[in-house]
Amino acid sequence: YMTSSPNRHLVKVIINHTTTEDNNDQWDEVTAKVIDGGLYHYTYAALGDSITRGENSATGYSPMFGDRYTDFVSKTTGMIVNNHGIGGTRITYTDNQKGMVTRVHQLGSADIYSVFGGTNDFAANVPMGERGSGNMNHFKPAFEHICQTLRETGKKCFIITPIKRSNTMTPN
């Protein structure tokens, strides 16, 4: 499974952490798959909270599981990843200007965007609100604003739904 791309050596640098074996055949196979996948030159901007950032407050904000999910995306696709995760942030507007509804305008240009948030809004009992109301202190209109802003870029965007918080017993 080989390719003759002029960028083959650059892709090897990008994915050099995907294997611990010193096996050139394996490197060539992984390199070819990344190049043939067509994503190695794309940029990916990930907007989120501590889960995106890959930090855990219980361990002094060190990576939770070793690599962040954005690192995994970079290693397996070769994409250039810009991690815009900030611990403790919400989808909604916040006085410190770190809410995702504010930060979505600071992402810069990318080929692919993702939004992973909502668990801190849930923990803070942020009101759901009504779509179209324009109230960025409420979840639905703030989330709608983020989606509309990213949709207007004309680029690919995906949403990662919030994970269940450990201190909740009811479905959310």
Side-chain angles (χ1 to χ4, degrees), residues 76-149:
T76 57
T77 66
M79 285 193 285
I80 299 164
V81 174
N82 296 308
N83 187 318
H84 296 276
I86 297 178
T89 59
R90 303 188 313 227
I91 294 285
T92 53
Y93 175 80
T94 55
D95 290 338
N96 66 7
Q97 300 293 311
K98 292 186 180 179
M100 290 178 226
V101 72
T102 303
R103 293 184 5 239
V104 70
H105 299 283
Q106 302 161 358
L107 292 179
S109 180
D111 298 300
I112 301 169
Y113 296 93
S114 70
V115 179
F116 189 177
T119 192
N120 294 319
D121 297 86
F122 179 80
N125 292 315
V126 169
M128 290 301 285
E130 298 298 324
R131 289 182 61 203
S133 73
N135 186 339
M136 298 301 127
N137 292 306
H138 292 172
F139 186 84
K140 286 181 182 180
F143 187 73
E144 181 179 45
H145 176 79
I146 291 170
C147 292
Q148 182 61 35
T149 299

Side-chain angles (χ1 to χ4, degrees), residues 35-48:
I35 291 171
D36 291 346
L39 296 175
Y40 70 95
H41 63 284
Y42 280 56
T43 56
Y44 164 44
L47 179 64

Side-chain angles (χ1 to χ4, degrees), residues 12-83:
K12 280 188 180 182
V13 171
I14 292 170
I15 63 167
N16 68 359
H17 296 291
T18 59
T19 181
T20 57
E21 296 179 30
D22 194 18
N23 181 333
N24 284 334
D25 291 338
Q26 186 174 7
W27 283 90
D28 288 342
E29 182 178 341
V30 173
T31 302
K33 285 181 182 177
V34 169
I35 291 171
D36 291 346
L39 296 175
Y40 70 95
H41 63 284
Y42 280 56
T43 56
Y44 164 44
L47 179 64
D49 53 26
S50 63
I51 299 164
T52 298
R53 187 74 196 150
E55 298 173 334
N56 182 353
S57 61
T59 61
Y61 289 98
S62 62
M64 283 190 264
F65 306 110
D67 288 342
R68 301 172 289 190
Y69 78 84
T70 54
D71 295 336
F72 178 77
V73 169
S74 178
K75 289 177 186 180
T76 57
T77 66
M79 285 193 285
I80 299 164
V81 174
N82 296 308
N83 187 318

